[in-house]
Amino acid sequence: MINKEKLLEISKKYGTPLYIYDGDLIKEQYSKLKKNLIYSKTKIFYAMKANYNPSILKLLKEEGASIDAVSPGDVLLALEVGFEKENILFTANRITEEEMHLVKSKGVLFNIGSIYDLESFGKNYPNSEVCIRFNPMVVAGENDQVITGGENSKFGIFIDEKEKVLEICEEYGLKIVGVHEHTGSGIPEAVQMMEGVKNILDFLNKEDFPDLRFVDFGGGFKVPYKPEEKEMDLEKFGKETSHLFEEFCKKFGKELEMYFEPGKFLVSESGHLLVKVVDIKRTPKKLLAGVNSGFPQLIRPMFYRAYHEIDNLSNTNNEKKKYDIVGNICESGDCFAWDRELPEIREGDLLDIRNAGAYCYAMGGQYNLRPMPPEVLVLEGKVELIRKGLTTEEMIEKIIEESKT
Ligand code: LLP
């Protein structure tokens, strides 16, 4: 684990704002998952949408991970980093025909979650192998925006449309080699994940799916964001799913593979965004600590009202005051935390925004024209700059260059 001193030391070298990732923790999370999912034919597909830094992708590749890709960009980057096409599953969300051709030309397996896309895939690529994404009809996840199951979801084919799926596959000679579901993100209880697993296994049989090789149960494993929160009970989930899957395979008559697609679980806790306090303001009701970063660099609090633990690295006294931690963007909503009790914050203090490894840099942008921070990886005691940030001048140069037609 990277301690406070290490964070301070690294920030001295690279400045702030700065993303720092703990590579050893990523490895630890990976092996924890692997250890608990005891079914022998389990494969882990890292949901690279959570954090696509090439060094992190390489690290997970070395651990043995495969890739869950959700865009042609994901697929191209994963291939570029060295993942083999057989170890990438492309979950196609509302793709255009051009995107379909691009990914298909790379030989990557498609996971298709709509009747419409399936039909169009069949027309374009008859006699191909395909994975079908079904809606698990379980409503679970950290907040409304990351719930993907249930009757109002834009994702997945409804289980009762199975016949239609089989018809289309028959018509175009598509072979269903995989079945997929994803319930949501940040699912707290193993029992909710289990429900999705059961709903999918319940309707699968060898007559309808003779070519089936794997069942993919998506991601969603919760990790703690607040100090009092707990990780999902992995041991229980791992045991129960593995047992259930084994029994299912016996009934099905074939030893299938079991896939999972974790994002947050592998990388969330590894990440820190270090920011510097640049001003303190007292309003009639509140204390505001203003920092040299804003929501384009870490949007989860503003976007989902997500809680990210924040430490004042420069003052660890026990006497606490309540602050809103506000950003440097020209919007009132630009805030990292509201009414947060922290040891007194003074100008120049360094704050550590925790759980910044998943969906933070990856959801970033340069709104208000501030470049994204650099990224640093700490692995086995080695500190490595894994993405240099652009300077303001370089960013502007790039914008001008890109706008030349
Ligand atoms: N598989 C599929 C098909 C997914 O859509 C997702 C996440 C995952 C796997 C990985 O889920 P995870 O293990 O990371 O929970 N930006 C949001 C999370 C969006 C998740 C989208 N899909 C956030 O910051 O909370």
Side-chain angles (χ1 to χ4, degrees), residues 45-50 68-70 91 93 111 133 142-143 145-148 155 180-187 193 216-222 225 260-267 299-300 303-304 306 308 358-360 363:
F45 285 64
Y46 169 52
M48 67 180 281
K49 60 181 92 56
D68 155 33
V70 287
T91 290
N93 292 315
N111 175 29
R133 176 177 188 169
E142 218 152 40
N143 63 60
Q145 289 168 79
V146 299
I147 289 171
T148 38
F155 298 106
H180 171 280
E181 67 100 355
H182 172 72
T183 298
S185 191
I187 301 175
M193 291 268 287
D216 182 336
F217 298 113
F221 305 90
K222 183 176 174 53
Y225 278 71
F260 289 94
E261 301 172 339
K264 274 180 191 160
F265 187 86
L266 295 178
V267 292
I299 202 173
R300 300 188 76 257
F303 205 43
Y304 307 117
H308 283 251
Y359 306 105
C360 290
M363 289 175 75

Short mmCIF file of all heavy atoms in Angstrom, two decimals, residues 45-50 68-70 91 93 111 133 142-143 145-148 155 180-187 193 216-222 225 260-267 299-300 303-304 306 308 358-360 363, ligand 1:
data_model
loop_
_atom_site.label_atom_id
_atom_site.label_comp_id
_atom_site.label_asym_id
_atom_site.label_seq_id
_atom_site.Cartn_x
_atom_site.Cartn_y
_atom_site.Cartn_z
N PHE A 45 -12.28 -10.95 -17.26
CA PHE A 45 -12.16 -9.96 -18.33
C PHE A 45 -12.18 -8.57 -17.69
O PHE A 45 -13.21 -8.14 -17.18
CB PHE A 45 -13.34 -10.10 -19.31
CG PHE A 45 -13.22 -11.29 -20.22
CD1 PHE A 45 -13.23 -12.58 -19.70
CD2 PHE A 45 -13.06 -11.13 -21.59
CE1 PHE A 45 -13.09 -13.68 -20.53
CE2 PHE A 45 -12.93 -12.22 -22.43
CZ PHE A 45 -12.94 -13.50 -21.90
N TYR A 46 -11.06 -7.90 -17.69
CA TYR A 46 -11.00 -6.57 -17.08
C TYR A 46 -11.83 -5.57 -17.91
O TYR A 46 -11.63 -5.44 -19.12
CB TYR A 46 -9.53 -6.12 -16.99
CG TYR A 46 -9.37 -4.67 -16.62
CD1 TYR A 46 -10.01 -4.14 -15.50
CD2 TYR A 46 -8.56 -3.81 -17.38
CE1 TYR A 46 -9.86 -2.80 -15.16
CE2 TYR A 46 -8.40 -2.48 -17.04
CZ TYR A 46 -9.07 -1.98 -15.94
OH TYR A 46 -8.93 -0.65 -15.61
N ALA A 47 -12.75 -4.89 -17.22
CA ALA A 47 -13.57 -3.87 -17.90
C ALA A 47 -12.73 -2.62 -18.07
O ALA A 47 -12.67 -1.75 -17.19
CB ALA A 47 -14.82 -3.58 -17.06
N MET A 48 -12.07 -2.51 -19.21
CA MET A 48 -11.06 -1.47 -19.39
C MET A 48 -11.65 -0.07 -19.46
O MET A 48 -10.92 0.91 -19.39
CB MET A 48 -10.19 -1.75 -20.61
CG MET A 48 -10.90 -1.67 -21.94
SD MET A 48 -9.77 -2.01 -23.34
CE MET A 48 -8.91 -0.45 -23.52
N LYS A 49 -12.98 0.03 -19.54
CA LYS A 49 -13.61 1.36 -19.50
C LYS A 49 -13.31 2.04 -18.16
O LYS A 49 -13.32 3.25 -18.07
CB LYS A 49 -15.12 1.25 -19.73
CG LYS A 49 -15.84 0.41 -18.67
CD LYS A 49 -17.32 0.32 -18.94
CE LYS A 49 -17.74 -0.87 -19.76
NZ LYS A 49 -17.37 -2.21 -19.27
N ALA A 50 -13.03 1.25 -17.13
CA ALA A 50 -12.78 1.83 -15.81
C ALA A 50 -11.46 2.61 -15.77
O ALA A 50 -11.37 3.65 -15.11
CB ALA A 50 -12.76 0.73 -14.75
N ASP A 68 -12.67 -6.89 -21.37
CA ASP A 68 -14.04 -6.52 -21.73
C ASP A 68 -13.95 -5.16 -22.40
O ASP A 68 -13.59 -4.17 -21.75
CB ASP A 68 -14.89 -6.47 -20.45
CG ASP A 68 -16.11 -5.57 -20.56
OD1 ASP A 68 -16.68 -5.47 -21.66
OD2 ASP A 68 -16.52 -4.97 -19.54
N ALA A 69 -14.22 -5.13 -23.70
CA ALA A 69 -14.12 -3.87 -24.46
C ALA A 69 -15.52 -3.42 -24.85
O ALA A 69 -16.38 -4.24 -25.15
CB ALA A 69 -13.29 -4.11 -25.72
N VAL A 70 -15.75 -2.11 -24.85
CA VAL A 70 -17.10 -1.63 -25.17
C VAL A 70 -17.15 -0.66 -26.34
O VAL A 70 -18.18 -0.07 -26.63
CB VAL A 70 -17.78 -0.95 -23.95
CG1 VAL A 70 -18.19 -1.98 -22.93
CG2 VAL A 70 -16.91 0.12 -23.34
N THR A 91 -18.36 -5.93 -26.23
CA THR A 91 -19.77 -5.71 -25.94
C THR A 91 -20.22 -4.51 -26.74
O THR A 91 -19.81 -3.37 -26.47
CB THR A 91 -19.99 -5.51 -24.43
OG1 THR A 91 -19.76 -6.78 -23.80
CG2 THR A 91 -21.41 -5.08 -24.12
N ASN A 93 -22.44 -1.72 -27.95
CA ASN A 93 -23.60 -0.90 -27.58
C ASN A 93 -23.94 0.03 -28.72
O ASN A 93 -23.21 0.96 -29.01
CB ASN A 93 -23.27 -0.03 -26.36
CG ASN A 93 -23.06 -0.86 -25.11
OD1 ASN A 93 -23.84 -1.77 -24.85
ND2 ASN A 93 -22.02 -0.58 -24.37
N ASN A 111 -20.31 -9.39 -28.47
CA ASN A 111 -21.36 -9.68 -27.50
C ASN A 111 -22.51 -8.75 -27.85
O ASN A 111 -22.40 -7.53 -27.69
CB ASN A 111 -20.83 -9.41 -26.09
CG ASN A 111 -21.90 -9.57 -25.03
OD1 ASN A 111 -22.84 -10.36 -25.20
ND2 ASN A 111 -21.77 -8.84 -23.93
N ARG A 133 -26.07 -11.00 -25.24
CA ARG A 133 -26.27 -10.37 -23.93
C ARG A 133 -27.75 -10.35 -23.59
O ARG A 133 -28.56 -9.76 -24.32
CB ARG A 133 -25.74 -8.94 -23.96
CG ARG A 133 -26.00 -8.19 -22.67
CD ARG A 133 -25.41 -6.81 -22.69
NE ARG A 133 -25.52 -6.19 -21.37
CZ ARG A 133 -24.92 -5.07 -21.02
NH1 ARG A 133 -24.16 -4.43 -21.89
NH2 ARG A 133 -25.07 -4.58 -19.80
N GLU A 142 -25.10 0.82 -7.52
CA GLU A 142 -24.78 1.89 -6.59
C GLU A 142 -25.72 3.10 -6.72
O GLU A 142 -26.00 3.78 -5.75
CB GLU A 142 -23.37 2.35 -6.93
CG GLU A 142 -22.52 2.70 -5.79
CD GLU A 142 -21.06 2.45 -6.18
OE1 GLU A 142 -20.66 2.75 -7.32
OE2 GLU A 142 -20.34 1.95 -5.35
N ASN A 143 -26.12 3.42 -7.92
CA ASN A 143 -27.06 4.53 -8.12
C ASN A 143 -27.83 4.28 -9.43
O ASN A 143 -27.45 3.43 -10.23
CB ASN A 143 -26.32 5.87 -8.14
CG ASN A 143 -25.34 5.99 -9.28
OD1 ASN A 143 -25.71 5.91 -10.45
ND2 ASN A 143 -24.06 6.15 -8.96
N GLN A 145 -28.01 5.54 -12.19
CA GLN A 145 -27.37 5.65 -13.50
C GLN A 145 -26.46 4.48 -13.86
O GLN A 145 -26.01 4.39 -15.00
CB GLN A 145 -26.58 6.95 -13.57
CG GLN A 145 -27.54 8.13 -13.64
CD GLN A 145 -26.84 9.44 -13.41
OE1 GLN A 145 -26.21 9.95 -14.31
NE2 GLN A 145 -26.91 9.95 -12.21
N VAL A 146 -26.19 3.63 -12.90
CA VAL A 146 -25.31 2.50 -13.21
C VAL A 146 -26.03 1.15 -13.06
O VAL A 146 -25.40 0.10 -12.98
CB VAL A 146 -24.00 2.52 -12.40
CG1 VAL A 146 -23.20 3.78 -12.71
CG2 VAL A 146 -24.26 2.44 -10.90
N ILE A 147 -27.37 1.21 -13.04
CA ILE A 147 -28.15 -0.02 -13.01
C ILE A 147 -28.42 -0.43 -14.45
O ILE A 147 -28.87 0.40 -15.25
CB ILE A 147 -29.48 0.22 -12.25
CG1 ILE A 147 -29.19 0.41 -10.76
CG2 ILE A 147 -30.47 -0.91 -12.50
CD1 ILE A 147 -30.37 0.87 -9.95
N THR A 148 -28.09 -1.67 -14.81
CA THR A 148 -28.24 -2.03 -16.21
C THR A 148 -29.29 -3.12 -16.46
O THR A 148 -29.62 -3.41 -17.59
CB THR A 148 -26.89 -2.46 -16.82
OG1 THR A 148 -26.18 -3.20 -15.83
CG2 THR A 148 -26.04 -1.30 -17.21
N PHE A 155 -30.08 -2.01 -22.05
CA PHE A 155 -29.11 -3.07 -22.31
C PHE A 155 -29.74 -4.46 -22.32
O PHE A 155 -30.59 -4.76 -21.48
CB PHE A 155 -28.02 -3.07 -21.24
CG PHE A 155 -27.22 -1.80 -21.21
CD1 PHE A 155 -27.40 -0.88 -20.20
CD2 PHE A 155 -26.30 -1.54 -22.20
CE1 PHE A 155 -26.66 0.29 -20.17
CE2 PHE A 155 -25.55 -0.37 -22.19
CZ PHE A 155 -25.74 0.55 -21.17
N HIS A 180 -24.26 -13.72 -22.06
CA HIS A 180 -23.73 -12.69 -21.17
C HIS A 180 -24.84 -11.97 -20.43
O HIS A 180 -25.95 -11.83 -20.94
CB HIS A 180 -22.96 -11.69 -22.05
CG HIS A 180 -22.51 -10.43 -21.38
ND1 HIS A 180 -23.35 -9.36 -21.15
CD2 HIS A 180 -21.30 -10.05 -20.90
CE1 HIS A 180 -22.66 -8.38 -20.56
NE2 HIS A 180 -21.42 -8.77 -20.39
N GLU A 181 -24.53 -11.52 -19.23
CA GLU A 181 -25.42 -10.58 -18.52
C GLU A 181 -24.55 -9.66 -17.68
O GLU A 181 -23.45 -10.02 -17.28
CB GLU A 181 -26.43 -11.32 -17.63
CG GLU A 181 -25.82 -12.07 -16.45
CD GLU A 181 -25.93 -11.34 -15.12
OE1 GLU A 181 -26.40 -10.19 -15.08
OE2 GLU A 181 -25.49 -11.92 -14.09
N HIS A 182 -25.07 -8.45 -17.46
CA HIS A 182 -24.40 -7.53 -16.52
C HIS A 182 -25.51 -6.78 -15.80
O HIS A 182 -26.38 -6.20 -16.42
CB HIS A 182 -23.49 -6.56 -17.28
CG HIS A 182 -22.93 -5.48 -16.42
ND1 HIS A 182 -21.95 -5.70 -15.47
CD2 HIS A 182 -23.22 -4.15 -16.35
CE1 HIS A 182 -21.66 -4.55 -14.86
NE2 HIS A 182 -22.42 -3.60 -15.37
N THR A 183 -25.45 -6.84 -14.46
CA THR A 183 -26.58 -6.31 -13.69
C THR A 183 -26.43 -4.83 -13.35
O THR A 183 -27.38 -4.06 -13.40
CB THR A 183 -26.72 -7.15 -12.40
OG1 THR A 183 -26.99 -8.50 -12.77
CG2 THR A 183 -27.83 -6.64 -11.51
N GLY A 184 -25.24 -4.42 -13.01
CA GLY A 184 -25.03 -3.01 -12.62
C GLY A 184 -23.66 -2.86 -12.00
O GLY A 184 -22.87 -3.81 -11.97
N SER A 185 -23.37 -1.64 -11.51
CA SER A 185 -22.05 -1.38 -10.95
C SER A 185 -22.18 -1.10 -9.45
O SER A 185 -23.14 -0.47 -9.01
CB SER A 185 -21.44 -0.19 -11.66
OG SER A 185 -20.08 -0.06 -11.34
N GLY A 186 -21.21 -1.57 -8.68
CA GLY A 186 -21.23 -1.33 -7.24
C GLY A 186 -22.36 -2.08 -6.55
O GLY A 186 -23.06 -1.53 -5.71
N ILE A 187 -22.50 -3.35 -6.88
CA ILE A 187 -23.57 -4.15 -6.27
C ILE A 187 -23.10 -4.61 -4.89
O ILE A 187 -22.10 -5.33 -4.76
CB ILE A 187 -23.90 -5.37 -7.15
CG1 ILE A 187 -24.33 -4.86 -8.53
CG2 ILE A 187 -24.99 -6.23 -6.52
CD1 ILE A 187 -24.56 -5.95 -9.53
N MET A 193 -26.13 -10.32 -6.95
CA MET A 193 -25.37 -10.84 -8.09
C MET A 193 -25.85 -12.26 -8.40
O MET A 193 -25.99 -12.66 -9.56
CB MET A 193 -23.88 -10.89 -7.80
CG MET A 193 -23.19 -9.56 -7.67
SD MET A 193 -22.49 -8.89 -9.20
CE MET A 193 -21.06 -9.90 -9.50
N ASP A 216 -21.04 -15.47 -19.26
CA ASP A 216 -20.35 -14.30 -18.72
C ASP A 216 -21.31 -13.54 -17.81
O ASP A 216 -22.37 -13.11 -18.25
CB ASP A 216 -19.91 -13.45 -19.93
CG ASP A 216 -19.13 -12.21 -19.54
OD1 ASP A 216 -19.29 -11.74 -18.41
OD2 ASP A 216 -18.37 -11.71 -20.39
N PHE A 217 -20.92 -13.39 -16.54
CA PHE A 217 -21.82 -12.75 -15.58
C PHE A 217 -21.45 -11.29 -15.30
O PHE A 217 -21.83 -10.73 -14.28
CB PHE A 217 -21.86 -13.56 -14.27
CG PHE A 217 -22.39 -14.95 -14.47
CD1 PHE A 217 -21.58 -16.05 -14.30
CD2 PHE A 217 -23.71 -15.13 -14.84
CE1 PHE A 217 -22.07 -17.34 -14.50
CE2 PHE A 217 -24.22 -16.42 -15.05
CZ PHE A 217 -23.40 -17.52 -14.88
N GLY A 218 -20.70 -10.68 -16.19
CA GLY A 218 -20.44 -9.24 -16.10
C GLY A 218 -19.61 -8.83 -14.90
O GLY A 218 -18.89 -9.62 -14.29
N GLY A 219 -19.72 -7.53 -14.58
CA GLY A 219 -18.94 -6.99 -13.45
C GLY A 219 -19.88 -6.58 -12.34
O GLY A 219 -20.94 -7.17 -12.16
N GLY A 220 -19.47 -5.57 -11.58
CA GLY A 220 -20.37 -5.01 -10.57
C GLY A 220 -19.98 -5.24 -9.13
O GLY A 220 -20.65 -4.75 -8.22
N PHE A 221 -18.89 -5.97 -8.87
CA PHE A 221 -18.47 -6.26 -7.49
C PHE A 221 -18.20 -4.95 -6.75
O PHE A 221 -17.38 -4.15 -7.18
CB PHE A 221 -17.18 -7.08 -7.47
CG PHE A 221 -17.26 -8.36 -8.25
CD1 PHE A 221 -16.92 -8.39 -9.59
CD2 PHE A 221 -17.68 -9.52 -7.64
CE1 PHE A 221 -16.98 -9.57 -10.32
CE2 PHE A 221 -17.75 -10.71 -8.34
CZ PHE A 221 -17.41 -10.73 -9.69
N LYS A 222 -18.85 -4.79 -5.63
CA LYS A 222 -18.69 -3.54 -4.89
C LYS A 222 -17.38 -3.50 -4.09
O LYS A 222 -16.96 -4.48 -3.52
CB LYS A 222 -19.85 -3.36 -3.92
CG LYS A 222 -19.75 -2.05 -3.18
CD LYS A 222 -20.93 -1.78 -2.30
CE LYS A 222 -20.68 -0.52 -1.49
NZ LYS A 222 -20.30 0.63 -2.33
N TYR A 225 -16.22 2.66 -0.62
CA TYR A 225 -15.84 4.04 -0.90
C TYR A 225 -15.83 4.84 0.40
O TYR A 225 -15.01 5.71 0.58
CB TYR A 225 -16.80 4.69 -1.92
CG TYR A 225 -16.46 4.35 -3.36
CD1 TYR A 225 -16.66 3.07 -3.87
CD2 TYR A 225 -15.89 5.29 -4.21
CE1 TYR A 225 -16.32 2.74 -5.18
CE2 TYR A 225 -15.55 4.98 -5.53
CZ TYR A 225 -15.76 3.71 -6.00
OH TYR A 225 -15.41 3.39 -7.30
N PHE A 260 -16.17 -13.33 -15.80
CA PHE A 260 -16.60 -12.13 -15.09
C PHE A 260 -15.88 -10.92 -15.67
O PHE A 260 -14.80 -11.06 -16.26
CB PHE A 260 -16.28 -12.24 -13.59
CG PHE A 260 -17.15 -13.22 -12.88
CD1 PHE A 260 -16.73 -14.54 -12.71
CD2 PHE A 260 -18.41 -12.86 -12.44
CE1 PHE A 260 -17.55 -15.47 -12.09
CE2 PHE A 260 -19.23 -13.79 -11.81
CZ PHE A 260 -18.81 -15.09 -11.64
N GLU A 261 -16.49 -9.75 -15.49
CA GLU A 261 -15.91 -8.53 -16.09
C GLU A 261 -15.78 -7.41 -15.06
O GLU A 261 -16.47 -6.39 -15.15
CB GLU A 261 -16.83 -8.04 -17.21
CG GLU A 261 -17.05 -9.03 -18.32
CD GLU A 261 -18.13 -8.55 -19.30
OE1 GLU A 261 -18.95 -7.68 -18.95
OE2 GLU A 261 -18.13 -9.07 -20.42
N PRO A 262 -14.92 -7.55 -14.08
CA PRO A 262 -14.80 -6.50 -13.07
C PRO A 262 -14.03 -5.28 -13.57
O PRO A 262 -13.06 -5.42 -14.30
CB PRO A 262 -13.99 -7.19 -11.96
CG PRO A 262 -13.19 -8.21 -12.70
CD PRO A 262 -14.00 -8.68 -13.85
N GLY A 263 -14.51 -4.11 -13.16
CA GLY A 263 -13.78 -2.88 -13.41
C GLY A 263 -13.38 -2.29 -12.07
O GLY A 263 -12.23 -2.40 -11.63
N LYS A 264 -14.39 -1.73 -11.35
CA LYS A 264 -14.14 -1.09 -10.06
C LYS A 264 -13.34 -1.99 -9.12
O LYS A 264 -12.43 -1.54 -8.44
CB LYS A 264 -15.47 -0.76 -9.37
CG LYS A 264 -16.04 0.56 -9.80
CD LYS A 264 -17.36 0.87 -9.11
CE LYS A 264 -17.99 2.07 -9.81
NZ LYS A 264 -19.41 2.21 -9.58
N PHE A 265 -13.73 -3.26 -9.05
CA PHE A 265 -13.10 -4.14 -8.06
C PHE A 265 -11.58 -4.18 -8.24
O PHE A 265 -10.83 -4.22 -7.27
CB PHE A 265 -13.67 -5.55 -8.14
CG PHE A 265 -13.16 -6.43 -7.04
CD1 PHE A 265 -13.79 -6.44 -5.81
CD2 PHE A 265 -12.03 -7.21 -7.22
CE1 PHE A 265 -13.30 -7.21 -4.77
CE2 PHE A 265 -11.53 -7.99 -6.19
CZ PHE A 265 -12.16 -7.99 -4.96
N LEU A 266 -11.14 -4.15 -9.48
CA LEU A 266 -9.71 -4.29 -9.71
C LEU A 266 -8.94 -2.99 -9.51
O LEU A 266 -7.82 -2.99 -9.04
CB LEU A 266 -9.45 -4.84 -11.13
CG LEU A 266 -9.96 -6.25 -11.38
CD1 LEU A 266 -9.70 -6.65 -12.83
CD2 LEU A 266 -9.28 -7.25 -10.44
N VAL A 267 -9.56 -1.86 -9.89
CA VAL A 267 -8.73 -0.64 -9.92
C VAL A 267 -9.19 0.52 -9.05
O VAL A 267 -8.41 1.44 -8.80
CB VAL A 267 -8.54 -0.15 -11.38
CG1 VAL A 267 -7.69 -1.12 -12.17
CG2 VAL A 267 -9.87 0.10 -12.08
N ILE A 299 -15.10 13.28 -12.10
CA ILE A 299 -16.49 13.77 -12.21
C ILE A 299 -17.49 13.03 -11.32
O ILE A 299 -18.62 13.46 -11.16
CB ILE A 299 -16.94 13.70 -13.69
CG1 ILE A 299 -18.10 14.67 -13.93
CG2 ILE A 299 -17.27 12.28 -14.11
CD1 ILE A 299 -18.52 14.80 -15.37
N ARG A 300 -17.07 11.92 -10.71
CA ARG A 300 -18.06 11.08 -10.02
C ARG A 300 -18.88 11.79 -8.94
O ARG A 300 -20.09 11.60 -8.86
CB ARG A 300 -17.40 9.80 -9.47
CG ARG A 300 -16.77 8.94 -10.57
CD ARG A 300 -16.29 7.59 -10.07
NE ARG A 300 -17.40 6.67 -9.87
CZ ARG A 300 -17.91 6.37 -8.71
NH1 ARG A 300 -17.42 6.89 -7.61
NH2 ARG A 300 -18.93 5.54 -8.63
N PHE A 303 -21.33 14.10 -10.81
CA PHE A 303 -22.18 13.39 -11.76
C PHE A 303 -23.16 12.43 -11.08
O PHE A 303 -24.32 12.34 -11.44
CB PHE A 303 -21.25 12.60 -12.68
CG PHE A 303 -21.80 12.30 -14.03
CD1 PHE A 303 -22.49 13.25 -14.76
CD2 PHE A 303 -21.59 11.04 -14.60
CE1 PHE A 303 -22.97 12.96 -16.03
CE2 PHE A 303 -22.08 10.75 -15.86
CZ PHE A 303 -22.76 11.71 -16.58
N TYR A 304 -22.65 11.69 -10.09
CA TYR A 304 -23.48 10.68 -9.42
C TYR A 304 -23.73 11.01 -7.95
O TYR A 304 -24.24 10.17 -7.22
CB TYR A 304 -22.79 9.31 -9.42
CG TYR A 304 -22.32 8.78 -10.75
CD1 TYR A 304 -20.97 8.56 -11.00
CD2 TYR A 304 -23.23 8.46 -11.76
CE1 TYR A 304 -20.53 8.05 -12.21
CE2 TYR A 304 -22.79 7.94 -12.97
CZ TYR A 304 -21.45 7.74 -13.19
OH TYR A 304 -21.02 7.23 -14.37
N ALA A 306 -21.44 10.81 -6.01
CA ALA A 306 -20.66 9.71 -5.44
C ALA A 306 -19.77 10.23 -4.31
O ALA A 306 -19.25 11.34 -4.39
CB ALA A 306 -19.79 9.07 -6.52
N HIS A 308 -16.38 10.16 -2.35
CA HIS A 308 -14.97 9.76 -2.39
C HIS A 308 -14.34 10.25 -1.09
O HIS A 308 -14.43 11.43 -0.77
CB HIS A 308 -14.24 10.40 -3.58
CG HIS A 308 -14.54 9.72 -4.88
ND1 HIS A 308 -13.62 8.96 -5.55
CD2 HIS A 308 -15.67 9.67 -5.62
CE1 HIS A 308 -14.16 8.46 -6.64
NE2 HIS A 308 -15.41 8.88 -6.72
N ALA A 358 -10.95 4.01 -10.67
CA ALA A 358 -11.94 3.53 -11.64
C ALA A 358 -12.89 4.65 -12.03
O ALA A 358 -13.44 5.33 -11.17
CB ALA A 358 -12.74 2.37 -11.05
N TYR A 359 -13.08 4.81 -13.30
CA TYR A 359 -14.03 5.80 -13.85
C TYR A 359 -13.71 7.21 -13.40
O TYR A 359 -14.61 8.01 -13.16
CB TYR A 359 -15.47 5.43 -13.46
CG TYR A 359 -15.85 4.02 -13.85
CD1 TYR A 359 -15.96 3.01 -12.89
CD2 TYR A 359 -16.07 3.69 -15.18
CE1 TYR A 359 -16.28 1.71 -13.25
CE2 TYR A 359 -16.39 2.38 -15.54
CZ TYR A 359 -16.49 1.40 -14.58
OH TYR A 359 -16.81 0.12 -14.95
N CYS A 360 -12.44 7.52 -13.23
CA CYS A 360 -12.07 8.89 -12.85
C CYS A 360 -11.28 9.49 -14.01
O CYS A 360 -11.83 10.25 -14.78
CB CYS A 360 -11.32 8.88 -11.53
SG CYS A 360 -12.44 8.44 -10.18
N MET A 363 -13.09 9.02 -17.28
CA MET A 363 -14.25 9.87 -17.60
C MET A 363 -13.86 11.33 -17.67
O MET A 363 -14.71 12.21 -17.64
CB MET A 363 -15.35 9.66 -16.54
CG MET A 363 -16.02 8.30 -16.64
SD MET A 363 -17.20 8.02 -15.30
CE MET A 363 -18.58 9.04 -15.81
N1 LLP B 1 -19.38 -5.27 -17.93
C1 LLP B 1 -20.23 -4.43 -18.53
C2 LLP B 1 -20.99 -4.90 -19.67
C3 LLP B 1 -20.39 -3.12 -18.04
O1 LLP B 1 -21.25 -2.32 -18.61
C4 LLP B 1 -19.63 -2.69 -16.93
C5 LLP B 1 -19.76 -1.34 -16.42
C6 LLP B 1 -18.72 -3.60 -16.34
C7 LLP B 1 -18.63 -4.88 -16.87
C8 LLP B 1 -17.86 -3.24 -15.16
O2 LLP B 1 -18.58 -2.87 -14.04
P1 LLP B 1 -17.82 -2.62 -12.65
O3 LLP B 1 -17.21 -3.92 -12.23
O4 LLP B 1 -16.77 -1.60 -12.90
O5 LLP B 1 -18.85 -2.14 -11.71
N2 LLP B 1 -19.09 5.26 -14.47
C9 LLP B 1 -19.81 4.56 -13.44
C10 LLP B 1 -19.79 3.07 -13.64
C11 LLP B 1 -20.33 2.68 -14.99
C12 LLP B 1 -20.26 1.21 -15.23
C13 LLP B 1 -20.58 0.90 -16.65
N3 LLP B 1 -20.50 -0.47 -16.97
C14 LLP B 1 -19.22 4.94 -12.08
O6 LLP B 1 -18.29 5.72 -12.04
O7 LLP B 1 -19.75 4.48 -11.04
#
